[in-house]
Amino acid sequence: MVRFLHTADWQIGMQAGHVGKAARKLRRCRLDVARRVVEVARGQDADFILVAGDTFEDNAVEGLLVQQVADILAAFGGPVYIIPGNHDLLAPGSVWEHPAWQEAGNICLLKEPVPLEAGSGVTLYPCPVTEKYCRADPTAWIEAAGNRRICIGLAHGSLEGVGADSDELPISRQAPGLRGLDYLALGHWHSTFLVEGPDGVARMAYCGTHETTRFGERDSGNVLMVQIEGRGEPPVIAPLRTGILTWEKVALTLRSNDDYRDLVRQVENRPAADRTLLWLVLEGLLAPEASIHLKRLEQLLEARFFYGRVDDGGLVPSPQDQEWIEALPAGYLQQAARKLLEQAAAGEQRRRQVARMALEELYMIAREVGA
Ligand SMILES: [Mn+2]
């Protein structure tokens, strides 16, 4: 029986320009969560850790960061097997030449595609990345079918035929069956994804990045704990959450002061704001008190949140004054607007409400077409 932790895509040293002033915090966070990964491995009694590439953002990251990452992995104590990915590929001058890797006795940097007898009755089949762009399946060399030990592959690339960059390091969906592997630990995709074989059993998986890297990234911030009872047995794969940040992009349509007030209240009451990156995309009307509420929003985001962003370019002035009606082309359009304005001002409440909404619609259309 073997039990191990599968992680990848730490992207340490990521510039993170997309979160502006929070970039430094975000970079530090990725290191902190790397420490959490090692704690999880220890807490889960993992026999070893597999790191399936892109540990670093690129090969130009500072030596200091390389040392810090090596120290984090060294703290595990047990064996750590690591392959270079396409971001930190094995090449002259790469991060893998740093003396820290040699110094750490428990870290095994896998530089060549050759089988390695690891502990716990396991043979590892590593597929280190040595070229940035490669159209060949990096697992093609593996022939594990005749091996009686538990056979685990470690590779970095895309699933063949899936996604925009699928011809970069394309890995066959049938890789475990074709190569005779009990499990294929994959890196490159940031979302956790278990790839089921024809028999419905997942023998290959993307663990995903240990901490989410951007808005809209689905199901990231995890590691996988994998347990295999013996050769040929289906792996038991359990995702465990390691990420601490929540990335949320919200699109909202605001019309009245009440809408603005509700939004401010929601942001005020938001739990765990210091671990939340919130991106508000606002559309609709600039209500009379909008600027007061927008200022309050920005203050809250800056003071309490890990990162906040408000896109208010979609908000247009509301039809409070009548100038815009005068600017409409004379004729039925202007008449309709005047009539709606009258109805919005007096009469039965429901009727007034409908008239106001219609007026707002007309106002928005008028702005859009530049009437
Ligand atoms: Mn990659």
Side-chain angles (χ1 to χ4, degrees), residues 154-318:
L154 187 55
H156 190 90
S158 308
L159 272 194
E160 193 176 34
V162 184
D165 60 351
S166 64
D167 54 352
E168 242 174 75
L169 301 159
I171 295 164
S172 167
R173 274 180 171 267
Q174 270 76 50
L178 291 171
R179 323 292 181 216
L181 295 170
D182 292 298
Y183 184 73
L184 177 56
L186 296 173
H188 192 48
W189 286 359
H190 286 188
S191 303
T192 302
F193 183 55
L194 277 56
V195 188
E196 285 183 10
D199 58 353
V201 176
R203 290 189 176 80
M204 63 195 286
Y206 287 92
C207 52
T209 183
H210 68 321
E211 176 60 88
T212 305
T213 62
R214 59 184 61 253
F215 290 100
E217 200 172 78
R218 276 185 317 106
D219 201 12
S220 58
N222 304 310
V223 295
L224 295 177
M225 274 305 302
V226 184
Q227 185 164 323
I228 304 173
E229 293 302 324
R231 178 67 167 150
E233 298 291 328
V236 178
I237 308 169
L240 294 177
R241 175 113 190 120
T242 48
I244 55 174
L245 298 178
T246 303
W247 297 66
E248 202 174 318
K249 183 177 177 182
V250 188
L252 286 170
T253 302
L254 307 172
R255 287 179 178 274
S256 63
N257 283 331
D258 283 349
D259 292 346
Y260 281 87
R261 227 170 279 132
D262 284 349
L263 172 59
V264 168
R265 206 165 300 137
Q266 276 179 37
V267 171
E268 279 172 342
N269 295 331
R270 175 89 196 198
D274 60 333
R275 283 180 275 128
T276 301
L277 297 91
L278 186 60
W279 180 2
L280 297 171
V281 182
L282 306 181
E283 278 188 12
L285 300 171
L286 278 165
E289 291 167 17
S291 66
I292 300 167
H293 296 303
L294 286 175
K295 207 162 171 192
R296 172 88 184 123
L297 261 188
E298 271 168 25
Q299 222 168 57
L300 284 169
L301 289 175
E302 171 121 23
R304 293 188 189 164
F305 283 67
F306 191 95
Y307 169 76
R309 168 174 170 182
V310 181
D311 289 356
D312 56 7
L315 292 170
V316 296
S318 61

Side-chain angles (χ1 to χ4, degrees), residues 9 54 86-87 156 188:
D9 298 278
D54 288 358
N86 63 318
H87 275 262
H156 190 90
H188 192 48

Side-chain angles (χ1 to χ4, degrees), residues 4 20 31 37 41 94 119 146 148 175 180 207 210 219 231 234 249 327 341:
F4 57 93
L31 268 184
V37 170
S94 76
R148 310 268 294 269
C207 52
H210 68 321
D219 201 12
R231 178 67 167 150
K249 183 177 177 182
L341 194 66

Side-chain angles (χ1 to χ4, degrees), residues 119-170:
S120 317
V122 167
T123 304
L124 285 177
Y125 294 81
C127 309
V129 179
T130 54
E131 291 172 273
K132 191 114 195 155
Y133 303 101
C134 180
R135 298 284 162 97
D137 183 339
T139 69
W141 67 275
I142 299 172
E143 286 177 36
N147 193 334
R148 310 268 294 269
R149 296 162 64 90
I150 296 173
C151 295
I152 299 172
L154 187 55
H156 190 90
S158 308
L159 272 194
E160 193 176 34
V162 184
D165 60 351
S166 64
D167 54 352
E168 242 174 75
L169 301 159

